[in-house]
Amino acid sequence: MNSRDLRQAQVLRRSALALALAVGLGGTGAVLAQATTGAIFGQASPGSTIQVSGTTGVTREITVGTDGRYRIGNLPLGSYTVNVMQNGQVVDSRKNVGLTVGAGSEVSFTGTTATSAQALESVTVTANALPPIDVSAVDSRTVVTSEQLARLPLGRNAESIALLAPGVNPGAGFFGRTVSFGGSGVSENAYYINGYNTADPLRNLGGVGLPYGAIDQQEIYTGGYSAMYGRSEGGVISQVGKRGTNEWHFGAQILWEPKFARSQLGNQYFANANLPAGYAYSDPSLAGQLYRNRSGDTQWTRTVSAYAGGPLIKDKLYLFVAAETEKTEGTDTNPFTTSPNATNHYKWDLPKYYAKLDWNINDSNILELTGINSADERSGKYSTFDYDTREHLGFQGRYPDSTKTSSTYGIAKYTSYITDDLTFSATYGKSKTTDVRRNPGDLGLPFISRPDLQDPAITGGQSFTNTTATTQKIAPGANSKTHGLRADLEWQVGDHRVTGGIDNMKYTAQDEGVTTTGPGYFWTYGHVNDPTVPLVPGLGVGPTGGDGYYTRRTIFITTTSMEVDQKAYYLEDKWQITDKFLFTIGVRNDRFKNYNDQGRTYVNSGNQWAPRIGASWDVFGDSSLKIYGNLGRYYLALPNSVAIRGASASTFTNEYFTYTGVDPNGEPTGLSPIGPGPVSSNGEYGQPNDPKSITATDLKSQYQDEAILGFDKTLGPDWVTGAKVMVRKLRAAIDDVCDTARIADKLAATGIDPDSVTIPGCVIFNPGRSNEFSLANVDGSGRTKVKMSKDDWGFTTGAKRKYYSLDLYLEHPFDGKWFGRAVYTFSKSYGNTEGQVKSDIGQNDISKTQDWDAAELMVHSNGLLANDRKHQFKAYGSYQMTPEWMFSGSMRLTSGAPKSCLGFFGPNDDDPISYGSSYHSCAGKLYAPGEQRMPWFKQLDLSVEYRPAFADHKLAFGLQVFNVTNERKALLNDYVYEDDRFTVSNTYGAGLYYQTPRYARLTASYDF
């Protein structure tokens, strides 16, 4: 769906195991992407008893099978003592066994008998002596523990932690703090806290995370997860919060990022390129001039956090609470082309709260209750900046948007160890997210975009605007809610561990979307190089005449309500064929239903079967070499936001005029229309949509197939290495197509009068596949079916996205002194479909991007995709030099993102479908995505911490320096080549998002 006009306005204003020890570290079967528990498994004498007891108050016993193997799963995270007992006597023991979420810790007691056991002190070992490779896993993931989070210099959010994993890269800055996994789109990930989905309930862009100090462990899944989990084609970020233990612990921390220790971005200047013959800049006088002032812009952040946890009733009832408040203030000057020319004095408040109650009802039943609140509140005010004199002129009554997003979650989990071989667990959660966006300066006047392009013959070279500084607002009371239930039953039957269950989620949204500020419209001024060329001939908008100055009035309204039902059930068997070989086979069935504002279904996926197969081979039987692999299919649901500008009514019109005057508020006067009135390239005139017409009746959900093959190998007692090959292929995509005149052509070709049916402006379909549509007959007599193939739409190919990668890693597990990990990834992501969003222009209309709107937009679209990074090198680690001093660091070195260029079409700068500068063509030549790249990205972060002995090492002072080498490269440019035909945008190629310059963080904490 086209978004160019709106986009222009938006852009202008804009000590257990210390680490997950191997790429292949994973679950022992029943605990994966939404896991909150771990497992202990191993070998011991047949018939003996294994007893585990943890700091969480959980104690369990199990009899070793006749094959000499045992497993105790679904254990809450914590530190455990594992005893082997014979005739009621402890004959061997392992202490301080730490669990990794979703994984298995191997604890074996080979050759131990009551007669051979020596004094227990001589045979007890700690967790660090356990095998570092989990041979019971077939997935691909990284786990970062609270110990690493305390050591490493990282951003204090889930996405910064996820960037430690191979193949994970930051998403485009348009989408906020998001990440891409394995070349997939940023909306294709899943987020969990304590087993419940906390992803953005409206668009699935990002998700809620815990207070940093409340994170016990974070799983980062990059592929290969079991049939228990789905609704993700990218990756999974799953956080498990801390819980109380049998000892009370308290702590507090303060962090300060002072402005005096923060570097600045340099000033930006307009391009001054030698343009091709016949082309000129929208405003030639701006070439080479100051585009964006950065001098004096700065920022500081203060974070305060605290926690407390311990037993309310020892061995029975535990409490853990944590709070974190982050406050940021700073200044940021708008670009020259943005209205207003001003510096934003902004304030951000990001409070987070977490509470967890754990009740060990008895040895067989556990109840966990979690409460989370997370908010993001932003406001500010503008002081005018004069770009001619480069002076700040003070506050003049303008404000940026004031926004607040607040999410509250309640989660309950019940676990029952019915027998030694049968475990049941159920998780139920609810959430509510409120969205607020308003502007204190919205006094009913329209926003004025590009006042710098007002006709100087009328204004005398001045730019007239008003106090309205934004184009959009959200309806009061807008909110999204979720509730969900998953239930799992695990049954150990001999060599088979069979798991089955359900996984259901419900999403509702009320009054989401946006309306236009002021009187309900805004003005955009423009100038064309050739005033004899029609502006939008396809919509009847003619040439400007005169000196080429014009204006357009835009109305944009998308507010609506909607619902989504996601239901799934699965069955999986993990079969330990031999002591060395584990085989996993499972199947998952997902069903998705989307409803519009009238409660009418517009997407009903039906049954979708996703098989998963995996295997793990413990080659030598001693956990020193594992070869593993898996094959899987993954379906992706459409989030609620698809109903916005899709299944519900929306208005997006432009009306074009010349003018003879500009009033003091920036509104044009003396208007003369140069078109037929309000026009919409997508036919969005506020009319209600027929849900049966706007979606193909046989629509297939987006899905992807994935294959992984890898190995993990110990190198002596101190090192682990490995490699993994991954291949992903998109099998079906969903987007909208708006060239629905081709439906009329198909009807006419089959002898049906196109005027006898109602044809929507855009329909949702599977690009490249044949789809059937049901159109309402105008006379009310019923419906007419029409089948549209790829050729009928004029496309020469279908949706393509392929990704392959090779991951290599080397790791030194923590030995009490140091740990380190280095990862290199070679990868390629290519095709013509990024996914549900379009990163190069920041379009977040999920599965309704301007791609596939018409065949002309897809000409020469095949190339490197936005999330492709050919080379990635990551390294991080820490060194405990003395008990007082600890040093750590993190480094990323990554190939630059592919560049794009979007202009009018072909050597004549045509606009065949009235989409303006949206074709893969620039300066008359076709331009495939990725023909050029952005510069390499380098980031080095270092940290030092001092824990004085006089405070028993409980008091700590730290210094973290981020981007030590002060790299300040652009991460994303403006790829829109033209403002109008033969009229090059002055901002084409300008950096939109940059690497954060060097800054420092000072910390002080105390734990007791």
Side-chain angles (χ1 to χ4, degrees):
M1 184 169 290
N2 181 252
S3 64
R4 176 174 180 263
D5 296 325
L6 182 65
R7 179 184 70 250
Q8 288 181 330
Q10 290 173 324
V11 169
L12 292 174
R13 65 174 174 84
R14 319 189 251 267
S15 255
L17 286 173
L19 187 66
L21 296 171
V23 173
L25 199 66
T28 57
V31 280
L32 283 171
Q34 291 164 273
T36 62
T37 60
I40 295 174
F41 71 101
Q43 299 181 44
S45 298
S48 58
T49 299
I50 300 296
Q51 179 191 70
V52 300
S53 58
T55 55
T56 58
V58 172
T59 298
R60 291 193 63 197
E61 294 184 356
I62 193 171
T63 301
V64 179
T66 56
D67 57 0
R69 293 197 298 267
Y70 77 93
R71 177 184 176 275
I72 302 177
N74 291 289
L75 292 171
L77 299 185
S79 181
Y80 285 81
T81 296
V82 184
N83 298 322
V84 59
M85 305 175 65
Q86 295 179 2
N87 300 321
Q89 178 185 4
V90 177
V91 297
D92 205 346
S93 181
R94 304 288 189 270
K95 295 181 179 180
N96 300 322
V97 175
L99 299 188
T100 299
V101 63
S105 295
E106 183 178 349
V107 183
S108 293
F109 304 87
T110 57
T112 298
T113 65
T115 57
S116 66
Q118 306 296 317
L120 290 181
E121 291 301 319
S122 67
V123 296
T124 298
V125 298
T126 63
N128 286 327
L130 300 179
I133 294 176
D134 180 8
V135 296
S136 62
V138 298
D139 55 22
S140 299
R141 69 190 185 113
T142 300
V143 177
V144 182
T145 68
S146 58
E147 290 83 5
Q148 276 72 59
L149 297 180
R151 295 187 183 108
L152 294 172
L154 296 172
R156 296 172 63 84
N157 52 73
E159 292 80 9
S160 294
I161 301 169
L163 290 174
L164 296 175
V168 182
N169 292 290
F174 291 114
F175 307 124
R177 199 174 57 229
T178 56
V179 289
S180 166
F181 287 74
S184 296
V186 295
S187 66
E188 299 173 26
N189 305 323
Y191 284 70
Y192 296 96
I193 294 179
N194 288 353
Y196 188 74
N197 190 306
T198 60
D200 165 27
L202 185 61
R203 290 185 171 87
N204 207 54
L205 287 169
V208 170
L210 289 169
Y212 199 73
I215 302 171
D216 190 337
Q217 297 182 23
Q218 176 170 314
E219 295 177 285
I220 309 147
Y221 278 84
T222 54
Y225 32 97
S226 82
M228 297 176 68
Y229 306 106
R231 303 167 192 159
S232 166
E233 289 184 348
V236 176
I237 295 176
S238 180
Q239 293 183 337
V240 178
K242 292 181 179 178
R243 55 192 294 149
T245 64
N246 272 327
E247 294 183 3
W248 278 100
H249 292 278
F250 309 87
Q253 185 179 48
I254 184 167
L255 304 94
W256 181 36
E257 298 171 8
K259 60 182 179 182
F260 68 76
R262 179 178 288 266
S263 183
Q264 298 177 359
L265 288 170
N267 288 344
Q268 290 179 254
Y269 293 84
F270 286 104
N272 189 14
N274 293 321
L275 300 179
Y279 290 82
Y281 284 116
S282 292
D283 186 347
S285 68
L286 293 180
Q289 300 300 307
L290 181 63
Y291 164 61
R292 187 169 191 177
N293 180 76
R294 299 282 193 177
S295 178
D297 288 350
T298 189
Q299 176 181 296
W300 64 266
T301 299
R302 183 194 67 236
T303 305
V304 179
S305 63
Y307 72 90
L312 299 176
I313 303 174
K314 193 171 183 179
D315 293 329
K316 183 66 67 172
L317 188 63
Y318 303 91
L319 174 68
F320 186 92
V321 294
E324 174 183 285
T325 61
E326 178 181 319
K327 183 180 181 65
T328 297
E329 292 188 9
T331 57
D332 186 38
T333 303
N334 287 340
F336 174 78
T337 52
T338 297
S339 179
N341 285 167
T343 296
N344 179 17
H345 301 259
Y346 58 83
K347 296 181 179 180
W348 303 341
D349 289 293
L350 289 82
K352 294 181 179 181
Y353 305 96
Y354 168 78
K356 191 167 192 292
L357 194 66
D358 293 275
W359 179 21
N360 298 335
I361 302 171
N362 51 44
D363 287 344
S364 300
N365 297 278
I366 300 174
L367 179 64
E368 307 170 44
L369 302 176
T370 301
I372 304 164
N373 181 264
S374 178
D376 186 333
E377 188 170 3
R378 306 188 178 216
S379 61
K381 64 178 183 179
Y382 283 128
S383 64
T384 300
F385 182 79
D386 189 325
Y387 266 91
D388 291 330
T389 64
R390 302 193 185 185
E391 293 180 324
H392 294 273
L393 302 180
F395 175 65
Q396 294 188 358
R398 298 180 184 180
Y399 301 86
D401 286 340
S402 293
T403 64
K404 183 177 182 179
T405 302
S406 181
S407 300
T408 302
Y409 287 82
I411 307 167
K413 181 179 181 181
Y414 169 70
T415 303
S416 178
Y417 308 110
I418 301 172
T419 69
D420 288 347
D421 298 323
L422 191 64
T423 302
F424 171 78
S425 64
T427 300
Y428 178 77
K430 298 183 69 174
S431 77
K432 181 178 181 179
T433 299
T434 58
D435 294 316
V436 176
R437 187 199 297 178
R438 62 182 185 85
N439 194 285
D442 183 1
L443 304 178
L445 296 171
F447 174 78
I448 307 299
S449 179
R450 294 307 302 269
D452 57 297
L453 293 180
Q454 292 169 350
D455 188 348
I458 295 173
T459 65
Q462 299 183 62
S463 295
F464 292 97
T465 60
N466 56 63
T467 59
T468 302
T470 184
T471 63
Q472 297 178 6
K473 59 185 177 181
I474 294 177
N479 68 85
S480 296
K481 298 178 181 179
T482 74
H483 67 264
L485 170 68
R486 77 164 295 131
D488 306 284
L489 187 66
E490 177 190 317
W491 185 22
Q492 185 75 42
V493 187
D495 294 327
H496 297 266
R497 187 161 61 257
V498 181
T499 310
I502 61 171
D503 179 9
N504 299 335
M505 287 291 296
K506 173 83 170 183
Y507 299 83
T508 61
Q510 183 70 33
D511 291 335
E512 292 284 10
V514 297
T515 61
T516 308
T517 55
Y521 58 83
F522 66 88
W523 293 99
T524 300
Y525 288 92
H527 175 254
V528 294
N529 181 43
D530 186 349
T532 66
V533 175
L535 285 177
V536 194
L539 295 177
V541 181
T544 64
D547 293 330
Y549 289 93
Y550 71 96
T551 187
R552 67 174 180 266
R553 180 167 55 198
T554 301
I555 299 174
F556 188 68
I557 304 171
T558 66
T559 302
T560 189
S561 300
M562 51 249 155
E563 296 182 359
V564 176
D565 262 336
Q566 300 176 1
K567 296 183 178 181
Y569 55 88
Y570 75 95
L571 183 65
E572 182 175 77
D573 179 20
K574 285 190 172 287
W575 179 18
Q576 192 73 48
I577 299 175
T578 69
D579 288 346
K580 297 180 180 181
F581 195 82
L582 173 69
F583 180 72
T584 301
I585 185 169
V587 64
R588 177 183 176 91
N589 181 272
D590 277 294
R591 296 196 65 169
F592 309 138
K593 284 188 178 181
N594 293 63
Y595 303 86
N596 70 356
D597 56 333
Q598 303 299 314
R600 300 176 64 186
T601 304
Y602 67 94
V603 171
N604 185 351
S605 71
N607 293 315
Q608 300 172 126
W609 296 98
R612 313 280 172 82
I613 300 173
S616 173
W617 179 25
D618 182 6
V619 178
F620 301 118
D622 59 359
S623 300
S624 65
L625 173 60
K626 180 183 76 170
I627 298 175
Y628 66 98
N630 51 67
L631 298 169
R633 173 164 290 180
Y634 302 88
Y635 284 93
L636 191 66
L638 288 173
N640 250 328
S641 65
V642 176
I644 300 173
R645 298 185 70 194
S648 301
S650 62
T651 301
F652 187 11
T653 61
N654 286 291
E655 192 170 4
Y656 294 79
F657 305 91
T658 57
Y659 55 97
T660 60
V662 178
D663 72 15
N665 292 317
E667 287 204 71
T669 60
L671 299 175
S672 297
I674 51 176
V679 294
S680 175
S681 59
N682 295 145
E684 295 175 83
Y685 295 99
Q687 72 277 17
N689 285 332
D690 175 8
K692 292 184 178 180
S693 297
I694 59 100
T695 305
T697 58
D698 53 357
L699 185 75
K700 290 185 178 294
S701 294
Q702 182 169 319
Y703 73 95
Q704 177 175 272
D705 288 341
E706 177 186 87
I708 295 174
L709 181 64
F711 77 89
D712 300 312
K713 177 71 174 70
T714 58
L715 300 177
D718 299 324
W719 294 88
V720 184
T721 189
K724 179 189 72 175
V725 174
M726 173 189 284
V727 178
R728 287 177 162 181
K729 185 175 182 179
L730 188 69
R731 295 294 187 180
I734 294 178
D735 214 306
D736 65 340
V737 56
C738 300
D739 192 7
T740 51
R742 291 180 179 269
I743 295 181
D745 294 341
K746 180 65 177 288
L747 290 170
T750 56
I752 300 174
D753 181 5
D755 294 331
S756 67
V757 298
T758 300
I759 302 175
C762 298
V763 293
I764 298 172
F765 79 132
N766 296 124
R769 291 176 175 264
S770 293
N771 285 127
E772 186 173 81
F773 297 89
S774 176
L775 307 177
N777 293 336
V778 173
D779 61 8
S781 62
R783 309 186 71 85
T784 297
K785 294 181 179 181
V786 57
K787 197 173 190 69
M788 296 291 292
S789 68
K790 169 175 62 67
D791 295 334
D792 291 330
W793 292 117
F795 298 115
T796 59
T797 186
K800 293 182 180 180
R801 186 180 75 191
K802 297 180 180 180
Y803 174 84
Y804 61 80
S805 67
L806 169 65
D807 294 329
L808 307 173
Y809 80 93
L810 178 66
E811 182 168 342
H812 183 284
F814 187 63
D815 60 1
K817 193 74 171 178
W818 75 283
F819 82 89
R821 180 180 175 91
V823 181
Y824 168 73
T825 300
F826 172 82
S827 64
K828 185 177 182 180
S829 180
Y830 60 101
N832 58 18
T833 298
E834 176 186 349
Q836 296 180 326
V837 299
K838 189 170 177 64
S839 290
D840 49 8
I841 61 171
Q843 191 173 6
N844 64 1
D845 295 314
I846 304 296
S847 289
K848 301 189 308 297
T849 69
Q850 69 181 33
D851 286 346
W852 302 103
D853 281 10
E856 292 82 351
L857 290 173
M858 302 309 293
V859 174
H860 214 57
S861 61
N862 196 64
L864 297 177
L865 298 175
N867 296 306
D868 175 75
R869 304 294 186 273
K870 186 175 183 179
H871 302 284
Q872 304 167 53
F873 181 76
K874 302 179 181 182
Y876 53 93
S878 68
Y879 176 60
Q880 191 77 48
M881 187 174 72
T882 70
E884 289 77 28
W885 291 96
M886 188 269 294
F887 299 87
S888 64
S890 175
M891 188 269 285
R892 284 188 289 136
L893 180 62
T894 305
S895 298
K899 287 185 176 181
S900 187
C901 188
L902 300 171
F904 283 74
F905 190 80
N908 297 320
D909 250 23
D910 294 325
D911 189 6
I913 58 168
S914 305
Y915 266 45
S917 189
S918 298
Y919 307 90
H920 293 279
S921 174
C922 284
K925 298 179 180 180
L926 296 177
Y927 188 103
E931 287 186 13
Q932 296 175 303
R933 283 187 181 270
M934 298 292 289
W936 278 62
F937 172 93
K938 293 180 287 185
Q939 177 90 16
L940 175 64
D941 307 325
L942 298 175
S943 174
V944 59
E945 182 183 78
Y946 172 59
R947 289 184 175 270
F950 68 77
D952 196 24
H953 306 299
K954 295 178 180 179
L955 176 67
F957 301 98
L959 169 64
Q960 299 177 334
V961 181
F962 297 87
N963 192 5
V964 173
T965 58
N966 203 22
E967 299 287 327
R968 294 177 290 179
K969 293 186 176 69
L971 302 178
L972 183 69
N973 290 343
D974 184 347
Y975 295 131
V976 179
Y977 185 67
E978 294 168 276
D979 288 331
D980 289 290
R981 297 179 68 189
F982 301 102
T983 306
V984 178
S985 169
N986 286 99
T987 63
Y988 169 69
L992 298 177
Y993 295 94
Y994 282 80
Q995 189 173 356
T996 303
R998 181 177 54 233
Y999 68 98
R1001 177 191 295 160
L1002 304 172
T1003 66
S1005 62
Y1006 191 76
D1007 300 275
F1008 55 97

